[in-house]
Amino acid sequence: MLTLLVLAILVGGILQRVTGMGFGLVAGPFIVLIVGPLEGVLFVNLSGAIASTIILGRVVRDVEWRKFAWLTVTSVVVTVPAALLLRDVSAPALEATVGAVVIVAMTLAVVTTRLRREGAHPLDGESRWPLAVTGVASGFGSVAAGIGGPPVAVYSVLSGWDAKRFAATAQPFFAVNALAALVAKLVLADASFPAMDAWQWVLLMVSIVGGLAIGEVLAPRVSANATRRVLIVLAYVGGLATLTRGLTGL
């Protein structure tokens, strides 16, 4: 189990650094399959918060704090009702939810890529309501499946948000969003982390940093398009496997 967890974290960290997103989409469903839905999503929240905090140190100068504030406030507000909603959900139902969220989120990411190529920007980048809706969707996705990135990525394309500033602003938002979801589930949903020894936790934390470091080295050397294809395939495989096992359990 530990070996599989380390592998999932390394691959997720590499893709997060190379493509700007992907930790929850790729590592999330596999971690859920390995340790269970409630513990797995909680661990994805923790890992994602750590990864985003590490990346933030490199991009903090480009953060747009007003957009960060709107996204963060709306996402944090929704974490409490979302955690209460999921508190009494059975493990198979939660597992199926994680798989479904991953599949829908990945499909949104694919559609977003096509919209980017067409240069479509139907949203006003200065309007607050689209930001609020995005924050709510991201907050719910983070609580339910540890995945809060796709709604923000879709908003960035539809509003024509500068890619560099989007990537920078996303990091503190993802960190706060994930921590809020984590705390809400610990307090309201009786969630708990996977039972492991201290040295195993240290190894997993090192794996997060290691994945980001490997991605840092690979980023200028690998094709971004090829990496995105790998991300898409792995996300769909993991999402379908998690959805299938959840539905079978039901």
Side-chain angles (χ1 to χ4, degrees):
M1 183 185 74
L2 185 63
T3 302
L4 292 174
L5 276 175
V6 169
L7 181 60
I9 291 169
L10 283 173
V11 173
I14 292 170
L15 292 173
Q16 175 81 17
R17 176 61 189 88
V18 174
T19 66
M21 59 182 294
F23 189 92
L25 284 169
V26 173
F30 291 105
I31 291 174
V32 166
L33 286 171
I34 295 168
V35 303
L38 197 57
E39 297 86 351
V41 172
L42 205 64
F43 184 78
V44 172
N45 288 142
L46 176 62
S47 303
I50 293 173
S52 294
T53 302
I54 292 172
I55 296 173
L56 175 61
R58 297 174 55 86
V59 299
V60 66
R61 292 182 179 179
D62 295 313
V63 174
E64 293 188 12
W65 293 107
R66 187 185 68 82
K67 289 185 176 181
F68 160 78
W70 272 93
L71 288 170
T72 300
V73 169
T74 51
S75 71
V76 169
V77 167
V78 82
T79 56
V80 171
L84 291 173
L85 182 65
L86 296 171
R87 180 170 55 182
D88 298 321
V89 174
S90 66
L94 184 56
E95 204 166 46
T97 300
V98 172
V101 170
V102 170
I103 292 170
V104 171
M106 195 66 255
T107 302
L108 284 174
V110 172
V111 172
T112 298
T113 301
R114 293 181 179 178
L115 289 173
R116 182 183 291 113
R117 292 171 182 169
E118 296 173 1
H121 305 308
L123 293 181
D124 179 5
E126 300 303 319
S127 177
R128 296 174 179 177
W129 288 111
L131 278 170
V133 173
T134 300
V136 169
S138 183
F140 183 83
S142 188
V143 172
I147 300 168
V152 187
V154 171
Y155 168 81
S156 73
V157 172
L158 296 182
S159 64
W161 198 353
D162 176 73
K164 185 178 181 181
R165 294 187 177 276
F166 153 68
T169 308
Q171 302 314 312
F173 169 67
F174 289 158
V176 176
N177 186 26
L179 287 175
L182 185 152
V183 172
K185 285 181 288 188
L186 285 174
V187 175
L188 300 174
D190 296 325
S192 60
F193 288 104
M196 291 182 290
D197 295 331
W199 70 268
Q200 294 173 318
W201 277 106
V202 171
L203 177 61
L204 294 178
M205 296 302 104
V206 171
S207 299
I208 297 172
V209 179
L212 295 174
I214 295 171
E216 182 80 21
V217 174
L218 292 179
R221 295 176 171 82
V222 298
S223 167
N225 289 332
T227 306
R228 289 190 187 94
R229 292 190 189 101
V230 173
L231 187 154
I232 291 169
V233 171
L234 289 176
Y236 274 122
V237 169
L240 287 170
T242 308
L243 176 61
T244 300
R245 195 171 78 169
L247 292 176
T248 302
L250 289 173

